[in-house]
Amino acid sequence: MRLRDKVALVTGAASGMGAATARLFAREGARVMVADLLEEEGRAVAREIAGAGGTARFQRLDVADEGQWEAAIAALLAEWGRLDVLVNNAGISGSATNDLYDTALWDRIMAVNARGVFLGVKHGVAAMRRTGGGSIVNLSSISGNVGQKRIHCAYNASKGAVRILTKSVAVQEGEAGIRVNSVHPGLMPPMRTSGATADPAVRAKMLEHVPLGRAGEAEEVARAVLFLASDESSYITGAELHVDGGYLAC
Ligand SMILES: NC(=O)c1ccc[n+]([C@@H]2O[C@H](COP(=O)([O-])OP(=O)(O)OC[C@H]3O[C@@H](n4cnc5c(N)ncnc54)[C@H](O)[C@@H]3O)[C@@H](O)[C@H]2O)c1
């Protein structure tokens, strides 16, 4: 088991790649806090993990709210005493709008995708320092590396912020034994909040730029996250792992 005896917190774990990551972590021996805004779906993921013999608990968490981060980390430490792995996965899309310069949407996307990761890092680092280190994996995107059509620029800006925030904290926390890396998925199953990028015609166009010629699957991202979370990547920090079928290589 690649995460035996580890304690992990995964945000946005009620669906998509976060749920796939939480399930995989539990199969690899971790105790997992399934954190999300969506209570019903999040509790179902935690129940499913427990039903399969794993250990998980649901925590309601709005990643943009610092008070809720404090409460989530306190609950995790009270229950399991340590935090070894934090996956900042929660996010919202920028493709469900026709107004690519909507200011309110800029604020919302930055609050969840950028501030949410900052808050996770802030409180995650403090918890990890108590036990001598850990691994943080932040979900960026190919959108953090390049611009795209039909997506509010806040999505790209927020994912770019995640990319460089990751490197900054990796440099600052190396001495504390905390590794920090980012994962950059490409064309994946649409997010709950996707608009244009859920449109089959738009997806077909995007596929033309994917050398492997297909969309990725949530489990393929989860496996990359697992590698960075586990001790197998013990000398990797500040890195970005593209899980994009070669999109960024073009
Ligand atoms: N699906 C894609 O094509 C794709 C591609 C690249 C990167 N990503 C990124 O990967 C991550 C996961 O995406 P996904 O495809 O699984 O999407 P998803 O919509 O299936 O899952 C996102 C989860 O985050 C939760 N969430 C949203 N706002 C939250 C908040 N404020 N606090 C807590 N939880 C919140 C949602 O409830 C949901 O369960 C996101 O950060 C996304 O930006 C997705």
Side-chain angles (χ1 to χ4, degrees):
M1 291 215 197
R2 296 157 74 186
L3 294 179
R4 189 191 299 280
D5 297 331
K6 305 245 191 220
V7 172
L9 190 163
V10 182
T11 69
S15 77
M17 298 190 255
T21 300
R23 290 188 191 105
L24 180 58
F25 277 17
R27 287 203 297 278
E28 293 294 339
R31 286 164 282 174
V32 185
M33 177 170 271
V34 172
D36 207 292
L37 280 176
L38 299 174
E39 299 212 13
E40 204 176 305
E41 293 86 342
R43 286 187 198 285
V45 171
R47 261 198 316 275
E48 187 195 317
I49 289 172
T55 305
R57 62 163 281 174
F58 173 73
Q59 175 74 35
R60 190 186 184 284
L61 170 65
D62 177 350
V63 295
D65 181 326
E66 187 154 19
Q68 292 191 30
W69 267 109
E70 286 164 354
I73 298 279
L76 179 138
L77 293 178
E79 180 126 358
W80 293 323
R82 54 187 299 123
L83 175 64
D84 302 294
V85 176
L86 168 63
V87 182
N88 285 305
N89 164 81
I92 55 175
S93 165
S95 74
T97 180
N98 290 324
D99 181 0
L100 297 179
Y101 296 98
D102 182 334
T103 306
L105 188 55
W106 169 277
D107 290 342
R108 182 69 194 140
I109 290 173
M110 294 304 278
V112 176
N113 295 6
R115 176 185 158 90
V117 174
F118 162 72
L119 291 175
V121 162
K122 172 177 173 178
H123 294 283
V125 160
M128 287 175 179
R129 279 174 165 264
R130 295 162 47 125
T131 47
S135 172
I136 298 177
V137 183
N138 296 325
L139 267 289
S140 178
S141 167
I142 52 173
S143 309
N145 298 66
V146 294
Q148 291 154 305
K149 287 189 172 167
R150 301 184 197 84
I151 296 180
H152 193 297
C153 58
Y155 187 75
N156 298 81
S158 68
K159 294 300 183 180
V162 170
R163 175 176 179 267
I164 197 65
L165 174 161
T166 297
K167 295 181 196 303
S168 169
V169 182
V171 170
Q172 311 220 28
E173 298 301 330
E175 280 177 4
I178 300 172
R179 298 185 298 106
V180 195
N181 295 288
S182 57
V183 168
H184 298 239
L187 186 62
M188 290 288 149
M191 300 172 68
R192 285 172 176 270
T193 45
S194 289
T197 51
D199 177 342
V202 172
R203 293 177 69 78
K205 205 104 203 103
M206 289 170 77
L207 259 186
E208 290 170 11
H209 302 281
V210 180
L212 289 185
R214 64 171 177 85
E217 291 168 11
E219 290 69 25
E220 293 179 302
V221 173
R223 289 200 292 270
V225 175
L226 171 63
F227 168 65
L228 291 171
S230 77
D231 295 338
E232 289 166 12
S233 58
S234 52
Y235 199 54
I236 300 177
T237 195
E240 49 186 273
L241 184 46
H242 306 157
V243 188
D244 65 351
Y247 184 95
L248 289 175
C250 295

